[in-house]
Amino acid sequence: MQEVYEQQKELILLGERVVLATLGFDLNVHHPYKPLVEAIKKFKVAQNALAQVAWNFVNDGYASFPVFRALIKSFQWFLLFLFFTL
């Protein structure tokens, strides 16, 4: 009985994933916070206003613009680059 339940459960979960993927849901979401924290640590700007601006930018962009999410990782590095070159 348990084996039949597990098989049926897996089929239902697979079906749900297929439906969601077909509707355009991204099931593999990559959050930008880990690379941002790594960049802040690498450039030692944790107590800097730039770190707060970058964090706010990531929060606002990630929550507001789904298409924009892919650019956030690159842009946070760009912000840090600008900070150190100005």
Side-chain angles (χ1 to χ4, degrees), residues 14-85:
L14 177 62
E16 287 178 347
R17 285 186 164 276
V18 168
V19 169
L20 290 172
T22 302
L23 293 174
F25 283 85
D26 186 3
L27 302 174
N28 297 312
V29 178
H30 302 281
H31 297 282
Y33 301 104
K34 184 177 179 181
L36 177 59
V37 170
E38 290 171 0
I40 289 170
K41 287 179 182 178
K42 179 178 180 177
F43 292 108
K44 297 178 177 76
V45 293
Q47 302 301 322
N48 193 304
L50 177 67
Q52 186 62 51
V53 169
W55 190 269
N56 292 343
F57 179 79
V58 167
N59 276 336
D60 294 344
Y62 192 74
S64 302
F65 307 103
V67 176
F68 191 59
R69 291 178 188 167
L71 299 174
I72 289 177
K73 183 176 181 182
S74 298
F75 192 74
Q76 68 196 15
W77 287 103
F78 178 70
L79 284 175
L80 290 169
F81 171 77
L82 281 180
F83 174 76
F84 287 107
T85 58

Side-chain angles (χ1 to χ4, degrees), residues 1 5 24:
M1 185 78 167
Y5 169 78

